[in-house]
Amino acid sequence: MITKETIDRIFETVRIEDVVGDFVQLKKRGVNYLGLCPFHNEKTPSFNVNPVRNIYKCFGCGKGGNAVNFIMELEHYTYPEALKFLAKKYSIEIEESVPDPKEIELRDERESLYILNSFASKTFAENLFDNEEGKAIGLSYFHERGFSDETIRKFELGYSLADWSAFSEHAIKNGYKSEFIIKTGLGYPRQKDGEVITGNEKLIDRFRGRVMFPIHNLSGRIIAFGGRILKKDDKAAKYVNSPESDIYFKSKSLYGIFFAKKAIVQKDN
Ligand code: ZN
């Protein structure tokens, strides 16, 4: 558990107008700031930020709270995840006491999904740049479409090998649990006559022979993937996306928003 001292420091340090201002274009209105609400659709700003009380309030949808509530709502973060996000923003060192087991479980579970996605993204990028199949099929495709290596690396693009279980096996070999491979949707269990085969049977990779596009949340962590197949295959869908998970909510995610958000806020457009 994050210590009370650390939590107090975070609350003393955060400025609501800074935190919101990273995501919403704010204009000064008297002592307050006003902007378009990120939680509901509106054309006339009714999203109010009060620097004196260090809180926000939307008079359109009624959402309101402090900086931690704002990050929790925006990123679907848990309370400790939001605290860590803000601590990082303000370079506050986190002190933790021995956490209670329930919290560890929840945190570790979601954290495991993020970590596995990050491992997957690195694996797919290695396939793209260092593997013969990846170079021949994936990298040549991106170059053909006019993507520079710089763009490819910035967006962390990659390639998933055409094997049935290449990624799952690689992940398990590197100590990742099959439970999380299934929960992220990177793989799924083999089935026979409609029955899921459990145990140490091989998992099947969801993404096979595809160029890979990681989907980032607003703070840049990978929450899911989209994959495009390049070989002609009438049985396979041209595009496959990760299923929803504890960290990926399709209707609340937009591809590329992490890279675009700064410009969106700056240009207020
Ligand atoms: Zn609102």
Side-chain angles (χ1 to χ4, degrees), residues 36-42 46-47 57-63:
L36 291 171
C37 178
F39 305 122
H40 84 280
N41 248 318
E42 63 176 9
S46 50
F47 188 82
K57 172 84 188 169
C58 174
F59 294 103
C61 65
K63 295 219 159 106

PDB file of all heavy atoms in Angstrom, residues 36-42 46-47 57-63, ligand 1:
ATOM      1  N   LEU A  36     -13.795  22.129 -22.546  1.00  0.00           N
ATOM      2  CA  LEU A  36     -14.776  21.141 -23.009  1.00  0.00           C
ATOM      3  C   LEU A  36     -14.599  19.855 -22.212  1.00  0.00           C
ATOM      4  O   LEU A  36     -13.484  19.368 -22.033  1.00  0.00           O
ATOM      5  CB  LEU A  36     -14.596  20.856 -24.500  1.00  0.00           C
ATOM      6  CG  LEU A  36     -14.978  22.007 -25.441  1.00  0.00           C
ATOM      7  CD1 LEU A  36     -14.537  21.691 -26.869  1.00  0.00           C
ATOM      8  CD2 LEU A  36     -16.471  22.300 -25.391  1.00  0.00           C
ATOM      9  N   CYS A  37     -15.683  19.321 -21.728  1.00  0.00           N
ATOM     10  CA  CYS A  37     -15.634  18.149 -20.857  1.00  0.00           C
ATOM     11  C   CYS A  37     -15.106  16.921 -21.611  1.00  0.00           C
ATOM     12  O   CYS A  37     -15.583  16.614 -22.699  1.00  0.00           O
ATOM     13  CB  CYS A  37     -17.037  17.854 -20.320  1.00  0.00           C
ATOM     14  SG  CYS A  37     -17.086  16.395 -19.279  1.00  0.00           S
ATOM     15  N   PRO A  38     -14.112  16.220 -21.057  1.00  0.00           N
ATOM     16  CA  PRO A  38     -13.604  15.014 -21.715  1.00  0.00           C
ATOM     17  C   PRO A  38     -14.497  13.792 -21.474  1.00  0.00           C
ATOM     18  O   PRO A  38     -14.254  12.734 -22.014  1.00  0.00           O
ATOM     19  CB  PRO A  38     -12.234  14.822 -21.074  1.00  0.00           C
ATOM     20  CG  PRO A  38     -12.350  15.446 -19.728  1.00  0.00           C
ATOM     21  CD  PRO A  38     -13.363  16.558 -19.840  1.00  0.00           C
ATOM     22  N   PHE A  39     -15.513  13.941 -20.630  1.00  0.00           N
ATOM     23  CA  PHE A  39     -16.332  12.775 -20.267  1.00  0.00           C
ATOM     24  C   PHE A  39     -17.682  12.744 -20.964  1.00  0.00           C
ATOM     25  O   PHE A  39     -18.381  11.755 -20.907  1.00  0.00           O
ATOM     26  CB  PHE A  39     -16.542  12.734 -18.741  1.00  0.00           C
ATOM     27  CG  PHE A  39     -15.254  12.745 -17.974  1.00  0.00           C
ATOM     28  CD1 PHE A  39     -14.982  13.726 -17.038  1.00  0.00           C
ATOM     29  CD2 PHE A  39     -14.300  11.764 -18.214  1.00  0.00           C
ATOM     30  CE1 PHE A  39     -13.778  13.733 -16.338  1.00  0.00           C
ATOM     31  CE2 PHE A  39     -13.103  11.759 -17.522  1.00  0.00           C
ATOM     32  CZ  PHE A  39     -12.838  12.752 -16.585  1.00  0.00           C
ATOM     33  N   HIS A  40     -18.079  13.834 -21.565  1.00  0.00           N
ATOM     34  CA  HIS A  40     -19.296  13.775 -22.379  1.00  0.00           C
ATOM     35  C   HIS A  40     -19.116  14.703 -23.577  1.00  0.00           C
ATOM     36  O   HIS A  40     -18.209  15.530 -23.612  1.00  0.00           O
ATOM     37  CB  HIS A  40     -20.544  14.113 -21.545  1.00  0.00           C
ATOM     38  CG  HIS A  40     -20.818  15.580 -21.398  1.00  0.00           C
ATOM     39  ND1 HIS A  40     -20.161  16.382 -20.485  1.00  0.00           N
ATOM     40  CD2 HIS A  40     -21.677  16.391 -22.060  1.00  0.00           C
ATOM     41  CE1 HIS A  40     -20.621  17.621 -20.585  1.00  0.00           C
ATOM     42  NE2 HIS A  40     -21.535  17.657 -21.537  1.00  0.00           N
ATOM     43  N   ASN A  41     -19.984  14.532 -24.566  1.00  0.00           N
ATOM     44  CA  ASN A  41     -19.891  15.297 -25.797  1.00  0.00           C
ATOM     45  C   ASN A  41     -20.498  16.670 -25.611  1.00  0.00           C
ATOM     46  O   ASN A  41     -21.658  16.774 -25.243  1.00  0.00           O
ATOM     47  CB  ASN A  41     -20.689  14.564 -26.883  1.00  0.00           C
ATOM     48  CG  ASN A  41     -19.763  14.029 -27.942  1.00  0.00           C
ATOM     49  OD1 ASN A  41     -18.827  14.725 -28.343  1.00  0.00           O
ATOM     50  ND2 ASN A  41     -20.007  12.816 -28.375  1.00  0.00           N
ATOM     51  N   GLU A  42     -19.717  17.720 -25.878  1.00  0.00           N
ATOM     52  CA  GLU A  42     -20.324  19.046 -25.797  1.00  0.00           C
ATOM     53  C   GLU A  42     -19.609  20.028 -26.717  1.00  0.00           C
ATOM     54  O   GLU A  42     -18.439  19.858 -27.029  1.00  0.00           O
ATOM     55  CB  GLU A  42     -20.327  19.556 -24.349  1.00  0.00           C
ATOM     56  CG  GLU A  42     -18.943  19.745 -23.738  1.00  0.00           C
ATOM     57  CD  GLU A  42     -19.022  20.357 -22.335  1.00  0.00           C
ATOM     58  OE1 GLU A  42     -20.130  20.462 -21.805  1.00  0.00           O
ATOM     59  OE2 GLU A  42     -17.970  20.736 -21.806  1.00  0.00           O
ATOM     60  N   SER A  46     -18.588  23.419 -20.414  1.00  0.00           N
ATOM     61  CA  SER A  46     -19.217  23.508 -19.101  1.00  0.00           C
ATOM     62  C   SER A  46     -18.368  22.783 -18.065  1.00  0.00           C
ATOM     63  O   SER A  46     -18.816  22.471 -16.976  1.00  0.00           O
ATOM     64  CB  SER A  46     -20.632  22.911 -19.157  1.00  0.00           C
ATOM     65  OG  SER A  46     -20.612  21.639 -19.747  1.00  0.00           O
ATOM     66  N   PHE A  47     -17.127  22.528 -18.440  1.00  0.00           N
ATOM     67  CA  PHE A  47     -16.203  21.808 -17.570  1.00  0.00           C
ATOM     68  C   PHE A  47     -15.355  22.833 -16.813  1.00  0.00           C
ATOM     69  O   PHE A  47     -14.562  23.565 -17.405  1.00  0.00           O
ATOM     70  CB  PHE A  47     -15.327  20.882 -18.415  1.00  0.00           C
ATOM     71  CG  PHE A  47     -14.464  19.956 -17.623  1.00  0.00           C
ATOM     72  CD1 PHE A  47     -14.971  18.772 -17.119  1.00  0.00           C
ATOM     73  CD2 PHE A  47     -13.125  20.263 -17.384  1.00  0.00           C
ATOM     74  CE1 PHE A  47     -14.174  17.904 -16.391  1.00  0.00           C
ATOM     75  CE2 PHE A  47     -12.321  19.399 -16.656  1.00  0.00           C
ATOM     76  CZ  PHE A  47     -12.852  18.219 -16.169  1.00  0.00           C
ATOM     77  N   LYS A  57     -15.291  20.261 -11.962  1.00  0.00           N
ATOM     78  CA  LYS A  57     -16.721  19.926 -11.924  1.00  0.00           C
ATOM     79  C   LYS A  57     -17.300  20.206 -13.305  1.00  0.00           C
ATOM     80  O   LYS A  57     -17.068  21.269 -13.872  1.00  0.00           O
ATOM     81  CB  LYS A  57     -17.425  20.805 -10.879  1.00  0.00           C
ATOM     82  CG  LYS A  57     -18.922  20.694 -10.874  1.00  0.00           C
ATOM     83  CD  LYS A  57     -19.371  19.517 -10.054  1.00  0.00           C
ATOM     84  CE  LYS A  57     -20.875  19.289 -10.199  1.00  0.00           C
ATOM     85  NZ  LYS A  57     -21.287  18.004  -9.618  1.00  0.00           N
ATOM     86  N   CYS A  58     -18.007  19.226 -13.858  1.00  0.00           N
ATOM     87  CA  CYS A  58     -18.683  19.456 -15.127  1.00  0.00           C
ATOM     88  C   CYS A  58     -20.157  19.736 -14.846  1.00  0.00           C
ATOM     89  O   CYS A  58     -20.831  18.926 -14.218  1.00  0.00           O
ATOM     90  CB  CYS A  58     -18.546  18.255 -16.054  1.00  0.00           C
ATOM     91  SG  CYS A  58     -19.535  18.465 -17.544  1.00  0.00           S
ATOM     92  N   PHE A  59     -20.615  20.888 -15.343  1.00  0.00           N
ATOM     93  CA  PHE A  59     -22.025  21.237 -15.112  1.00  0.00           C
ATOM     94  C   PHE A  59     -22.919  20.621 -16.183  1.00  0.00           C
ATOM     95  O   PHE A  59     -24.130  20.767 -16.143  1.00  0.00           O
ATOM     96  CB  PHE A  59     -22.180  22.757 -15.022  1.00  0.00           C
ATOM     97  CG  PHE A  59     -21.485  23.314 -13.814  1.00  0.00           C
ATOM     98  CD1 PHE A  59     -20.256  23.962 -13.919  1.00  0.00           C
ATOM     99  CD2 PHE A  59     -22.026  23.132 -12.546  1.00  0.00           C
ATOM    100  CE1 PHE A  59     -19.587  24.438 -12.799  1.00  0.00           C
ATOM    101  CE2 PHE A  59     -21.374  23.602 -11.421  1.00  0.00           C
ATOM    102  CZ  PHE A  59     -20.157  24.256 -11.547  1.00  0.00           C
ATOM    103  N   GLY A  60     -22.296  19.905 -17.149  1.00  0.00           N
ATOM    104  CA  GLY A  60     -23.084  19.198 -18.158  1.00  0.00           C
ATOM    105  C   GLY A  60     -23.453  17.794 -17.686  1.00  0.00           C
ATOM    106  O   GLY A  60     -24.618  17.419 -17.631  1.00  0.00           O
ATOM    107  N   CYS A  61     -22.422  17.018 -17.315  1.00  0.00           N
ATOM    108  CA  CYS A  61     -22.687  15.610 -16.964  1.00  0.00           C
ATOM    109  C   CYS A  61     -22.588  15.369 -15.459  1.00  0.00           C
ATOM    110  O   CYS A  61     -22.868  14.272 -14.979  1.00  0.00           O
ATOM    111  CB  CYS A  61     -21.736  14.676 -17.710  1.00  0.00           C
ATOM    112  SG  CYS A  61     -20.004  14.858 -17.272  1.00  0.00           S
ATOM    113  N   GLY A  62     -22.149  16.374 -14.727  1.00  0.00           N
ATOM    114  CA  GLY A  62     -22.141  16.256 -13.272  1.00  0.00           C
ATOM    115  C   GLY A  62     -20.889  15.628 -12.688  1.00  0.00           C
ATOM    116  O   GLY A  62     -20.747  15.536 -11.473  1.00  0.00           O
ATOM    117  N   LYS A  63     -19.961  15.189 -13.556  1.00  0.00           N
ATOM    118  CA  LYS A  63     -18.746  14.564 -13.016  1.00  0.00           C
ATOM    119  C   LYS A  63     -17.882  15.610 -12.343  1.00  0.00           C
ATOM    120  O   LYS A  63     -17.791  16.744 -12.807  1.00  0.00           O
ATOM    121  CB  LYS A  63     -17.968  13.885 -14.144  1.00  0.00           C
ATOM    122  CG  LYS A  63     -18.749  12.717 -14.737  1.00  0.00           C
ATOM    123  CD  LYS A  63     -17.853  11.545 -15.068  1.00  0.00           C
ATOM    124  CE  LYS A  63     -18.663  10.268 -15.160  1.00  0.00           C
ATOM    125  NZ  LYS A  63     -18.860   9.784 -16.514  1.00  0.00           N
TER     126      LYS A  63
HETATM  127 ZN    ZN B   1     -19.202  16.460 -18.655  1.00  0.00          ZN
END
